[in-house]
Amino acid sequence: MKNIHAKYGLTRVINARGTFTPLGVSRSSTRVRAAVADALAEHFVIDELQAAVSARIASHYGAETAAVVHWTAAAITVAVAAAMAGDAPERVAALPDSTDMPNRVVIPAGHVVDYGHPILTAIRLAGATPVIAGTGARCDIADLERALVEERTACLLLVSSRLARGAPLDLGAAVAAAHRQSVPAIIDGAAQDLRLPELLATRADLVLLSAQKYLAAPTAGLIVGRKPLVQACRAQERGIGRGMKASKEALVGVLAALEEREALDLPAWQAEQSRKVAWFVDQVRGVSGIAASSLPDSSGLPFSRVRLQIGPTHPLASAAALAVALRQGAPSIWVMDHAAADGYLLLELVSLRDDEMGEIISSLSSLSVPKFADRR
Ligand SMILES: *Cc1c(COP(=O)(O)O)cnc(C)c1O
């Protein structure tokens, strides 16, 4: 529907903020949209759809198996529940009451992130008790081992993303430490689907991914990993996972998105991302008071973002004020402003069309003319 914003009186948004949930995360391709539309008109044996997704992920990524839930936030809760309850029906029925189950979940302090709610909430929802290892600045393997040797530990949860803080943790060594204590290791790699092979190579028991982020599927949380634990995740559909299940349209959309990912020419995709960033950086040369450069993703995702450094001569004087002005414009332009206090903004161009990048340049140009600021 081309005029969906006009029809319902909705703000037209240009999203240069990345795979951001409050802005609808990503844009699906024509093929994925068509698959979802078709699915909505049909009945399916849902277990067959789950099995089809699992088979595709297994054959393409060499993973053992996979299951789908509604979001990665749900995948975290369900994975923790699975580590505690296994597939024992009475344990599945008992949760979130985890009395008499191993219910401690170790997580490195720097990985205690907030992606819209605290990750600790997703753990506690299963009935588990988080145990935080190390400090925000650093968590060594020895810190993890100390936390893991306690009794009643069900799993080790790790996050690999740009949200993580502190000295980087060697995920492979952390997974090995968990396995030395016979504890399953789970990695929340929500935005890291492009790095799934690397995350699987850590030998983690489960890797959790958001299908609606760079895979650009409908909203879905993918649980990828070892068979018994993945089966235990599916068993949670009869327990606390009932409200976290994947819908038929999500399952079919994920299948279509996986098919596209398998056919993706990654070097060509990367070249296209580089072209967009280079074009944008070049255009900003004509805007006074702003210096643009290209900044590679710090977690190893295969693309760069645009870094806009706001100089003292800019009429709005600060990166934070520029981000607000962009957002208040029409269309409403959203950028990454987590480093605004350090004087810069980041723009992710992955999901943007050339005409939208042009609109951002126009807005940046008009906001950078001194008389604009005087008029306010
Ligand atoms: C996005 C994100 C989540 C949440 O994923 P949803 O699919 O939105 O629930 C969790 N962890 C990390 C690291 C994320 O980036």
Side-chain angles (χ1 to χ4, degrees), residues 11 15 18 30 109 114 215-216 287 303 310 320:
T11 302
N15 175 22
T30 311
D114 187 318
L215 194 58
V287 179
F303 60 84
I310 316 308

Side-chain angles (χ1 to χ4, degrees), residues 116-248:
H117 75 172
I119 193 167
L120 298 183
T121 299
I123 296 170
R124 289 195 182 105
L125 260 175
T129 303
V131 175
I132 295 166
T135 67
R138 135 160 252 115
C139 172
D140 298 324
I141 298 301
D143 296 321
L144 275 183
E145 303 243 49
R146 260 193 302 281
L148 281 164
V149 294
E150 297 281 333
E151 279 178 87
R152 296 176 60 75
T153 300
C155 69
L156 164 69
L157 195 72
L158 301 155
V159 192
S160 169
S161 82
R162 62 193 165 76
L163 293 173
R165 289 167 295 118
L169 178 67
D170 178 339
L171 290 182
V175 170
H179 289 170
R180 280 197 292 280
Q181 305 300 329
S182 307
V183 165
I186 299 167
I187 295 180
D188 165 12
Q192 305 278 317
D193 59 273
L194 287 159
R195 292 180 59 233
L196 177 58
E198 282 171 69
L199 297 180
L200 288 172
T202 63
R203 308 186 64 80
D205 299 86
L206 297 179
V207 176
L208 313 179
L209 305 167
S210 299
Q212 77 278 11
K213 290 185 176 173
Y214 296 103
L215 194 58
T219 300
L222 305 184
I223 301 177
V224 181
R226 300 209 195 289
K227 223 165 227 159
L229 207 48
V230 171
Q231 274 165 1
C233 289
R234 290 291 315 280
Q236 289 297 325
E237 287 174 14
R238 295 184 296 280
I240 59 168
R242 167 74 199 184
M244 306 179 186
K245 289 192 318 301
S247 63
K248 63 180 178 183

